[in-house]
Amino acid sequence: MNDQLDERPDVVVDWPPPRQPWRHRGRLLLLAVLAVVVLGGGTALSYYVDALWFDSLGYSSVFWKTLNLQAVIFSAFALVTFVALYGAFLLLKPARLGELAGGAILISGQPLKLPVEPVLKLIALGLSGAIALATGLGMMAQWPMLAAYWYAPAGATPQLDRLFRRPLTFYLFTLPAWNLIAGWLMTLTVMACAIAVFFIVITGGARALARQRTNDALTGPWRGLSIAFAVLLLTLAARVYLGRFESLFEDHTIFSGVTYTEAHVTLTGKLAVSIALVVGALMASVNAVAAPRTRLLIASVVPAIVCYAVVSAMGWYVSSFIVKPNELVREQPFIAANIEMTRLAYGLNRFAQSPFPADAGIDALDPDHNQATLQNIRLWDWRALQDTLRQIQEIRTYYDFPDIDIDRYEIGGSTRQMMLAVRELNVNRLPESSRNWINEKLIYTHGYGVTMNSVNGFTPEGLPTLVLSDMPIRSTLPEITVTRPEIYFGQLTDTDVYVKTRQKEFNYPQGETNNLTSYEGNGGIALGGFFRRLLIALDRGDLAKLPFSDDVSPESRLLMRRNIRDRVEALAGSFLTFDPDPYVVVSDEGRIFWMMDAYTKSDTYPYSRHYQFGRDRINYVRNSVKVVVDAYDGATTFYVFDKDDPIVAAYGAIFPSLFRDASAMPPGLRKHVRYPELLFKIQAAVYGLYHMTDPAVFYNREDLWTVASEVGMNTQREQAAQVMEPNFVLMTLPGERATEFIEILPFTPANRNNLIGWIAGRSDGEHYGTAVVYDFPKTKLVDGPLQIEARIDQNAQLSGQLSLWNQQGSHVRRGTLIVVPIGRALLYAEPIYLQAERSPMPELRLVVLALQDRLAYGPTFETAMAGLFGGGASTTTAAATPAAAAPRSQPTPAGTPTAPSDINALIAGAAQDLSDYQRLTSEGKLGEAGRKLEEVKQKLEQLNKLRR
């Protein structure tokens, strides 16, 4: 039988055998539907719940506009990518690919024809689809950049670029979008070239080119490669052309932006290279039309290579022999451009400068005209206050005070500086026996109330004098009231909860029982019927509980994204950067709000230097938006405070319903707006270098400043030198009459500890957003914070007192040193706390005040001021005790002991008092310990008089 088979004529066997096409397509369709359901079902459900959430906040249009933009960008780039790649495959594919690539494989002596072309088509189809999908998703993630380019305000900024004469909007919006698209096109052309090379390889490579005149089927891949290479060279020419503009953003050792060599050689050279690449593309196109030749294809890149080599050589020559010998002269106009544009990019053009004498002597304080400033000196270090509040105001273990905020409030007809802390509920601290779905989702839903105290108010025991405290919330001042103390939205509210259920919510502890409440707001998503509740439960991971809970009704509501940072990030995090430190505000109506600063930023501002801003390197920033979140119902409002910012103007055009004008902010909230802390930090860092506006001084770094350092508590709760943080103070600026809420930072010369100036960011009224820099005389040495700390350590009596406190179960905790300009002088204030090892609650024991020529301390600010005005440092010993305002000297009481037996009794009494002091300190009874220490001192003074 085999012999008979061998005698048959050649038969070509198709492998694998053909299948019925409808079955094959049906299976593919079924697999596609299953993939969409499995992979896309969760996404669709998430979009559905997000749509409900945006609608609950009144921002439904923001959600749908974002979704439409993403869909259009994804579809456009995915479709073009697929058509380009698969179209390139079909166009570059040889006409008779099966004949060229099919092998003569024998099965039972018969040649086997492999389906090369169908297999390659299937592979190309799959790869093109996968790459198109990945490209669409990647470009969709860049929707803020592309949308801002499309909606960029025309003519919003003047011509700022000196070299290219391009408007600022070109660099902020157009150039980033063009670079993104150019990179995408470059990727496509490289892939098209790879496809052409692949076909050349499988069709015989160079041998196919040699046989091209006898086999036209072999010519196609080389023609295709020539066309693809021509497009690649055109795309590369566009990239090189756009790269000329990127020279404006480069940071150099001395300055940023275009240099002399780049302006006179490199930029023109890049243009020549770009033109040479276009010429090369024409050569490659000619190679495709004529008989393809390898030499002509290689020669197409020679003009660009020659131009690049010539430009590099000329650039090296100019840099080495023209610029470096006269660098300052050559680079001076470019340094001036860098200084001007960097100051504009970071808003330093809003800084005014003024001299400050920094005089010594008590008369320079001018206390009679600066009482408002003296009455608001902050003595409570926020970390010490936080630890104290956690001991005296948490009430229950599941409450916490995550942060301390500083603000100003009208009290008794005058403005006072206050410190506030929100009592939030942390469900992770609930007892394990209480950790169940009902407790975490339905009962323990919110925190309760705030505490408020003045920045320098202390009880006789060294604890804060609280204006707002306790549960239910209690106020000691009629001007400050809280009518809605529940905290449903905060910094620790990381879980979803369901409100308006049949289950009463825990409000606050009340003796042996608990006060219960029900949510009365309109925030959140209505759960509705069973099917809607089922979809929400599936998305939020509550499928096993929510749909079947008897406590949940159609009127119940889901509060999600309750963490205020997550909330604002979900709404506008794609194009705004938020300050990491939101602060709480109690409105005139008694409601609690969160206020957060939002920033626009860019890294493509011409001639501006890059600095680190959070996780990004930027060279432009504006605090254009203030965000207000209601702590009870979660209502979130975005107010625009900088209409001149082109970035917020672009996104305002995209989302007109998202932003409101600053004038729409209620007056009760507007008066609590403050200079943004994160912006102030980066402006201070930039100003340290860019306050030098003379190019020669800037070039030589003759007057480089840095933010002053202080001794503070690091993240390990240890005392160490660190850069000072901005401090908010309520003070009257020199030359002004009104008291203002100011954010201040002192500066020192680089690598030195003496002060050289200070900067004040203004928050009130028409001055909001501006700053004043006060320069000290360069001929005068002004002590810096570290030098004041050293003076405190070198004071014999004070250091002895601190050393004594650091023994026997207690330790001294030094607060933040505050530097406050008052009158013509600088007043330094540092609180010192005593903390028992067994108790994490610090209590104020000393206040240290210093001027340039004297230092005083006492148990209260008033006694320390009395010591400061009473004389030099020698008078400070009068206030060295922790007892309340003891007289500086005591008259000898009647019956002062003179006999040896009486002297021995005094010694024994002093020893016993010292022993009692040590015992009371170890037990944390610091108030009683202070009185014992005072008794020890009095006995020692009597013994000292007897010795005389």
Side-chain angles (χ1 to χ4, degrees):
M1 184 175 179
N2 290 337
D3 294 338
Q4 294 177 359
L5 183 62
D6 293 339
E7 291 174 0
R8 294 177 183 176
D10 292 343
V11 177
V12 177
V13 180
D14 288 331
W15 187 265
R19 298 179 180 179
Q20 296 183 13
W22 65 270
R23 291 183 179 179
H24 180 65
R25 293 174 182 173
R27 291 177 182 177
L28 287 178
L29 182 60
L30 180 60
L31 289 175
V33 171
L34 289 176
V36 170
V37 171
V38 173
L39 299 178
T43 302
L45 187 59
S46 176
Y47 276 123
Y48 170 71
V49 176
D50 278 347
L52 295 177
W53 182 75
F54 274 82
D55 185 62
S56 71
L57 289 171
Y59 296 128
S60 180
S61 61
V62 175
F63 173 80
W64 292 112
K65 187 60 174 286
T66 302
L67 190 62
N68 290 336
L69 289 171
Q70 292 175 338
V72 169
I73 292 171
F74 172 82
S75 302
F77 282 96
L79 179 61
V80 173
T81 300
F82 177 79
V83 171
L85 293 180
Y86 193 64
F89 171 83
L90 295 178
L91 292 174
L92 298 174
K93 178 182 69 66
R96 287 173 287 177
L97 182 61
E99 295 181 11
L100 297 172
I105 302 175
L106 300 178
I107 295 182
S108 300
Q110 301 300 320
L112 176 67
K113 181 183 177 182
L114 295 175
V116 176
E117 186 169 342
V119 171
L120 286 180
K121 282 186 177 181
L122 187 60
I123 293 175
L125 188 66
L127 286 177
S128 298
I131 294 173
L133 179 63
T135 301
L137 292 174
M139 301 300 283
M140 185 178 73
Q142 300 296 327
W143 73 264
M145 177 192 299
L146 296 171
Y149 162 65
W150 190 259
Y151 287 89
T157 55
Q159 295 281 341
L160 294 178
D161 174 27
R162 301 180 178 184
L163 193 60
F164 296 108
R165 308 306 301 169
R166 298 276 186 169
L168 180 59
T169 51
F170 171 80
Y171 295 101
L172 295 179
F173 307 117
T174 306
L175 185 60
W178 284 5
N179 279 327
L180 180 66
I181 295 173
W184 168 66
L185 293 174
M186 176 71 72
T187 303
L188 292 183
T189 54
V190 169
M191 290 182 178
C193 290
I195 293 172
V197 171
F198 170 75
F199 284 127
I200 290 174
V201 170
I202 67 172
T203 54
R207 289 178 297 174
L209 183 62
R211 300 195 306 272
Q212 63 182 338
R213 294 183 179 179
T214 59
N215 193 345
D216 292 339
L218 300 176
T219 308
W222 283 97
R223 294 184 188 278
L225 177 61
S226 299
I227 295 174
F229 194 66
V231 177
L232 175 63
L233 291 179
L234 286 176
T235 308
L236 186 59
R239 291 294 300 270
V240 173
Y241 178 80
L242 294 177
R244 298 166 65 240
F245 300 104
E246 294 179 1
S247 300
L248 275 65
F249 320 133
E250 294 180 2
D251 292 331
H252 308 286
T253 303
I254 298 176
F255 65 99
S256 299
V258 174
T259 63
Y260 179 92
T261 302
E262 291 172 337
H264 291 82
V265 177
T266 307
L267 296 181
T268 305
K270 285 185 176 181
L271 183 60
V273 171
S274 181
I275 295 173
L277 287 169
V278 174
V279 173
L282 294 175
M283 295 172 63
S285 300
V286 171
N287 190 55
V289 175
R293 296 179 182 275
T294 310
R295 294 180 181 177
L296 187 59
L297 201 60
I298 296 175
S300 63
V301 300
V302 172
I305 294 175
V306 171
C307 284
Y308 180 79
V310 172
V311 170
S312 298
M314 292 178 62
W316 173 81
Y317 175 81
V318 171
S319 176
S320 301
F321 299 102
I322 297 179
V323 175
K324 287 187 177 179
N326 304 283
E327 188 170 30
L328 177 57
V329 176
R330 302 295 183 188
E331 303 288 15
Q332 185 164 344
F334 304 100
I335 294 175
N338 171 228
I339 294 173
E340 177 187 356
M341 298 302 287
T342 300
R343 291 176 63 90
L344 285 173
Y346 293 98
L348 302 188
N349 57 313
R350 303 176 183 179
F351 285 24
Q353 282 187 283
S354 179
F356 188 82
D359 291 337
I362 202 68
D363 294 336
L365 277 180
D366 192 14
D368 294 337
H369 296 89
N370 291 280
Q371 281 299 308
T373 303
L374 292 173
Q375 291 172 4
N376 287 278
I377 298 292
R378 181 164 67 89
L379 301 179
W380 266 114
D381 181 272
W382 73 267
R383 298 177 185 86
L385 178 61
Q386 185 182 44
D387 289 344
T388 301
L389 292 177
R390 283 172 172 168
Q391 295 300 309
I392 66 175
Q393 281 293 310
E394 276 189 1
I395 315 291
R396 293 290 187 269
T397 58
Y398 39 77
Y399 286 119
D400 193 11
F401 293 96
D403 196 14
I404 304 295
D405 299 315
I406 302 173
D407 206 345
R408 68 282 198 198
Y409 287 83
E410 293 292 328
I411 296 176
S414 62
T415 304
R416 296 300 304 270
Q417 192 173 1
M418 312 298 285
M419 303 179 78
L420 297 89
V422 178
R423 186 186 293 105
E424 295 199 44
L425 188 144
N426 189 344
V427 294
N428 295 321
R429 291 187 176 184
L430 288 173
E432 282 299 323
S433 59
S434 300
R435 299 293 300 274
N436 56 64
W437 187 83
I438 293 179
N439 278 339
E440 294 183 4
K441 299 292 186 179
L442 307 182
I443 297 179
Y444 290 93
T445 58
H446 60 274
Y448 186 91
V450 297
T451 65
M452 179 188 291
N453 61 283
S454 63
V455 294
N456 53 10
F458 293 88
T459 67
E461 292 78 22
L463 300 177
T465 304
L466 295 173
V467 174
L468 294 176
S469 62
D470 300 337
M471 295 186 288
I473 196 163
R474 182 174 58 89
S475 174
T476 61
L477 297 173
E479 300 93 335
I480 306 295
T481 59
V482 176
T483 58
R484 185 56 79 181
E486 296 85 0
I487 310 294
Y488 284 90
F489 299 86
Q491 300 185 72
L492 297 180
T493 47
D494 297 323
T495 60
D496 300 341
V497 296
Y498 303 98
V499 296
K500 291 192 174 181
T501 65
R502 298 184 180 93
Q503 184 71 248
K504 287 290 187 178
E505 303 169 42
F506 169 78
N507 201 23
Y508 56 84
Q510 194 173 39
E512 297 182 357
T513 61
N514 294 325
N515 182 273
L516 304 178
T517 187
S518 292
Y519 184 70
E520 298 176 358
N522 296 318
I525 302 171
L527 294 181
F530 178 80
F531 182 70
R532 179 169 175 171
R533 190 192 312 179
L534 183 65
L535 293 178
I536 292 174
L538 186 61
D539 178 70
R540 307 313 295 175
D542 277 344
L543 188 59
K545 300 288 186 181
L546 179 62
F548 314 105
S549 175
D550 295 332
D551 294 319
V552 178
S553 67
E555 292 74 27
S556 299
R557 307 183 79 86
L558 164 66
L559 302 184
M560 57 181 281
R561 294 194 179 109
R562 297 193 302 135
N563 186 297
I564 55 175
R565 171 164 290 279
D566 296 341
R567 199 169 189 80
V568 296
E569 288 281 355
L571 288 169
S574 299
F575 47 89
L576 294 178
T577 299
F578 297 97
D579 198 294
D581 185 23
Y583 58 99
V584 68
V585 173
V586 178
S587 70
D588 295 341
E589 297 77 20
R591 294 184 71 93
I592 300 174
F593 293 90
W594 294 98
M595 196 169 288
M596 185 182 300
D597 290 290
Y599 307 92
T600 57
K601 64 182 188 298
S602 175
D603 60 353
T604 57
Y605 196 94
Y607 298 99
S608 177
R609 194 167 192 86
H610 291 82
Y611 283 84
Q612 195 69 33
F613 186 76
R615 294 174 294 179
D616 303 318
R617 294 278 295 176
I618 66 166
N619 65 355
Y620 170 87
V621 64
R622 287 290 184 272
N623 172 225
S624 301
V625 178
K626 306 283 186 181
V627 188
V628 177
V629 181
D630 192 310
Y632 186 75
D633 62 21
T636 306
T637 311
F638 295 77
Y639 297 97
V640 175
F641 272 71
D642 190 347
K643 297 180 181 179
D644 297 329
D645 176 27
I647 297 180
V648 80
Y651 288 110
I654 300 172
F655 305 113
S657 63
L658 180 63
F659 298 104
R660 299 185 186 181
D661 189 77
S663 59
M665 179 179 284
L669 294 177
R670 178 61 187 260
K671 64 184 181 181
H672 292 285
V673 168
R674 68 186 191 186
Y675 202 97
E677 191 171 354
L678 190 59
L679 178 66
F680 194 63
K681 289 181 181 180
I682 193 171
Q683 286 180 327
V686 177
Y687 190 83
L689 175 61
Y690 284 90
H691 74 278
M692 297 179 284
T693 55
D694 182 274
V697 176
F698 184 94
Y699 177 84
N700 294 304
R701 300 296 198 265
E702 296 178 8
D703 192 21
L704 185 63
W705 293 5
T706 58
V707 176
S709 296
E710 64 172 345
V711 175
M713 185 172 291
N714 57 23
T715 55
Q716 287 77 34
R717 297 277 176 167
E718 298 174 349
Q719 298 286 336
Q722 58 189 21
V723 176
M724 290 190 74
E725 294 289 321
N727 286 311
F728 287 98
V729 298
L730 196 61
M731 61 174 293
T732 303
L733 288 174
E736 300 285 346
R737 294 184 178 181
T739 302
E740 299 182 46
F741 191 60
I742 304 293
E743 189 173 11
I744 64 172
L745 263 181
F747 286 99
T748 64
N751 302 316
R752 296 176 62 185
N753 292 328
N754 61 287
L755 292 183
I756 193 65
W758 61 284
I759 181 174
R762 308 175 77 172
S763 303
D764 295 329
E766 62 182 9
H767 300 299
Y768 168 77
T770 64
V772 184
V773 179
Y774 293 92
D775 300 317
F776 298 160
K778 297 185 182 298
T779 57
K780 185 179 297 185
L781 189 65
V782 181
D783 285 345
L786 290 180
Q787 292 169 319
I788 296 296
E789 297 280 6
R791 285 172 55 186
I792 294 174
D793 294 335
Q794 293 166 3
N795 185 285
Q797 289 183 313
L798 183 54
S799 62
Q801 179 69 77
L802 299 182
S803 298
L804 182 62
W805 281 348
N806 268 322
Q807 300 173 5
Q808 299 297 326
S810 64
H811 70 273
V812 171
R813 182 168 170 176
R814 293 167 71 160
T816 301
L817 180 69
I818 306 293
V819 184
V820 183
I822 300 179
R824 306 184 313 277
L826 292 176
L827 178 65
Y828 306 84
E830 179 176 285
I832 296 179
Y833 309 90
L834 190 61
Q835 182 172 328
E837 292 182 358
R838 297 181 182 179
S839 172
M841 182 172 63
E843 297 180 2
L844 182 74
R845 282 293 167 257
L846 286 179
V847 176
V848 181
L849 301 177
L851 297 172
Q852 294 298 311
D853 59 347
R854 63 188 65 200
L855 182 146
Y857 54 96
T860 64
F861 179 80
E862 291 75 13
T863 54
M865 281 294 292
L868 199 65
F869 278 83
S874 61
T875 65
T876 61
T877 57
T881 72
R888 291 174 47 177
S889 61
Q890 298 283 352
T892 303
T896 299
T898 56
S901 59
D902 295 331
I903 294 177
N904 293 334
L906 274 177
I907 295 174
Q912 180 60 45
D913 290 340
L914 182 59
S915 177
D916 292 341
Y917 163 78
Q918 294 171 343
R919 175 180 56 80
L920 293 170
T921 301
S922 64
E923 294 174 356
K925 300 177 180 179
L926 303 181
E928 298 179 27
R931 287 189 287 272
K932 283 294 181 183
L933 191 60
E934 174 63 18
E935 294 176 10
V936 172
K937 183 194 171 193
Q938 292 177 359
K939 290 182 173 64
L940 293 177
E941 287 178 350
Q942 294 180 24
L943 286 170
N944 190 39
K945 292 176 181 178
L946 290 176
R947 291 181 56 189
R948 299 197 192 103

